[in-house]
Amino acid sequence: MAARIDEMTRSRRAVARNVRAGGIDRGARGDVAREDQPWAWDESRWRGCVERVRAGRSVKPQAWPGGAEVAVALSFDSDHETIPLRNSETHPGRLSQGEYGARVAVPRILRLLDHHRVPASFFVPAVSALLHPGEIGACVAAGHEIALHGWIHEWNATLDPDTERDLLMRSIDVIERLSGSRPVGIRTPSWDFSDHTLNLICELHLTYDSSLMADDEPYELLADGAPTGIVEIPVEWIRDDAPYLTMDRYAGTRPYTPPRELLRIWLDEFEQAHREHGLFQLTLHPHVIGHRSRIIVLEQLLEHISSISGVFFARHDEVAAYLAGLDPGATRRGSDTTGSETAAS
């Protein structure tokens, strides 16, 4: 009897592993369907998965504007209350953590960016924008980009194409109404890029995405092997504050990295980008980086980068415009464009 129990336990564990791996036939009462196991896929299936969205040609320029030696593109994901809301968490505690991002962190960040005359891109879920319309106005007035970041920080991979399209179109409408201009770029919530996302980006005539990780430098996205004309400004968890500093009291997520250690990591990333005459891109979250003991990391990073000649500070839409052969300064409506070309000074 004990042996049978052990066998059943091992079987349940095996089934659980296969469920997590996505290789289970859920209609087979827990029996694993052989043809659904990745090792049993034929070449057309696994190759099709890989080639659905792929990195195409590099669009790293031979030179940056003004003869700059390196480009720096800072971004802030203003998630605020949408993370708990997405998860149906409506208790005041978690919502207040997001509220801190809008109430305290964003004003602190805007003052720091203004001090260094650095433009940035703010990727904002539509629900965050509706909750904090004044933030959108303040960012626009300071010359920053407002870009798409989903409706309520939803998981795109769980959505059918029609729902994903509807949420994206609604998000475009909200951001355009509150910012005064139609957004041209997107960062999918949690970088969750579905099988349909690229088609929707093309359908809605966006010019760039910033959700994928196939290169250090910008590249053109391919859809089933075909060039799309969409510029990917790649992200990476290494250049994101959340993996280092996130705290969740109900899970095993803990901030084990001292904030000042991030400065060493991001300086190394910047210095290597500088040597390669490439792009240094950084993803930050106001409710994460905006605390007193953490904003100092961004402050010291900007002090170091600003002390170096030959740096092109740019919003993500400006980077995408320049790579498309356009004037990057023309994308910043009604603001002084000289701040984006530190290299010229």
Side-chain angles (χ1 to χ4, degrees):
M1 184 65 175
R4 176 59 177 160
I5 291 174
D6 289 342
E7 180 182 350
M8 292 171 62
T9 301
R10 287 194 297 271
S11 177
R12 284 196 297 268
R13 289 174 178 170
V15 168
R17 286 194 297 271
N18 280 294
V19 168
R20 289 193 296 269
I24 199 78
D25 180 354
R26 299 178 189 273
R29 296 179 180 272
D31 296 328
V32 177
R34 179 186 182 279
E35 63 272 15
D36 283 340
Q37 291 284 12
W39 51 261
W41 293 352
D42 60 27
E43 182 174 349
S44 64
R45 183 170 179 182
W46 53 255
R47 189 175 293 279
C49 293
V50 169
E51 294 184 350
R52 184 172 293 116
V53 177
R54 201 71 166 159
R57 65 186 178 91
S58 172
V59 293
K60 176 185 175 182
Q62 293 185 340
W64 294 104
E69 298 176 351
V70 62
V72 173
L74 300 185
S75 62
F76 298 86
D77 292 0
S78 293
D79 301 332
H80 303 334
E81 295 94 339
T82 61
I83 299 286
L85 288 175
R86 173 199 61 194
N87 297 329
S88 300
E89 297 180 26
T90 58
H91 297 301
R94 285 298 302 275
L95 293 173
S96 69
Q97 186 179 21
E99 186 182 13
Y100 180 94
R103 179 182 175 88
V104 179
V106 168
R108 183 174 283 160
I109 289 165
L110 290 178
R111 290 193 297 269
L112 180 60
L113 295 176
D114 179 68
H115 175 74
H116 289 280
R117 299 190 68 208
V118 171
S121 295
F122 285 76
F123 293 86
V124 187
V127 169
S128 283
L130 290 169
L131 286 168
H132 309 285
E135 176 182 320
I136 304 303
C139 290
V140 171
H144 304 299
E145 176 193 10
I146 305 297
L148 298 164
H149 197 42
W151 175 258
I152 196 167
H153 215 279
E154 60 276 2
W155 300 105
N156 278 354
T158 67
L159 305 177
D160 61 79
D162 289 340
T163 301
E164 186 176 353
R165 178 186 292 105
D166 176 62
L167 293 178
L168 181 53
M169 293 177 67
R170 288 162 58 189
S171 299
I172 291 174
D173 290 344
V174 167
I175 297 302
E176 182 174 11
R177 174 166 58 85
L178 293 179
S179 71
S181 61
R182 184 179 176 85
V184 300
I186 183 171
R187 172 170 295 153
T188 57
S190 301
W191 302 341
D192 195 33
F193 207 94
S194 80
D195 292 343
H196 321 292
T197 301
L198 182 54
N199 290 338
L200 294 175
I201 290 173
C202 295
E203 175 186 328
L204 297 174
H205 305 293
L206 301 175
T207 61
Y208 79 86
D209 174 70
S210 185
S211 314
L212 303 175
M213 312 182 193
D215 205 317
D216 297 309
E217 306 296 346
Y219 56 89
E220 182 180 14
L221 288 175
L222 303 180
D224 294 317
T228 64
I230 304 297
V231 172
E232 179 64 35
I233 301 177
V235 293
E236 227 301 324
W237 294 113
I238 297 168
R239 301 189 310 275
D240 186 305
D241 57 356
Y244 303 105
L245 301 176
T246 298
M247 168 71 187
D248 187 341
R249 61 181 293 196
Y250 298 113
T253 306
R254 295 290 186 274
Y256 292 112
T257 305
R260 289 177 187 261
E261 286 299 303
L262 297 187
L263 184 62
R264 297 175 56 187
I265 296 171
W266 291 342
L267 282 176
D268 286 345
E269 286 280 329
F270 167 74
E271 294 297 343
Q272 188 64 27
H274 193 188
R275 282 192 290 270
E276 297 175 355
H277 292 186
L279 172 69
F280 172 70
Q281 186 276 344
L282 198 61
T283 301
L284 302 166
H285 300 77
H287 72 281
V288 176
I289 199 68
H291 288 271
R292 293 166 173 165
S293 61
R294 297 171 174 184
I295 196 70
I296 191 68
V297 176
L298 180 58
E299 182 178 2
Q300 292 183 0
L301 179 67
L302 288 179
E303 287 174 354
H304 174 78
I305 296 175
S306 298
S307 71
I308 296 173
S309 62
V311 176
F312 172 53
F313 285 104
R315 309 180 335 180
H316 283 51
D317 59 345
E318 292 173 329
V319 172
Y322 181 71
L323 297 177
L326 304 175
D327 175 14
T331 65
R332 205 181 310 177
R333 301 172 66 249
S335 63
D336 177 13
T337 62
T338 58
S340 68
E341 297 189 32
T342 307
S345 60

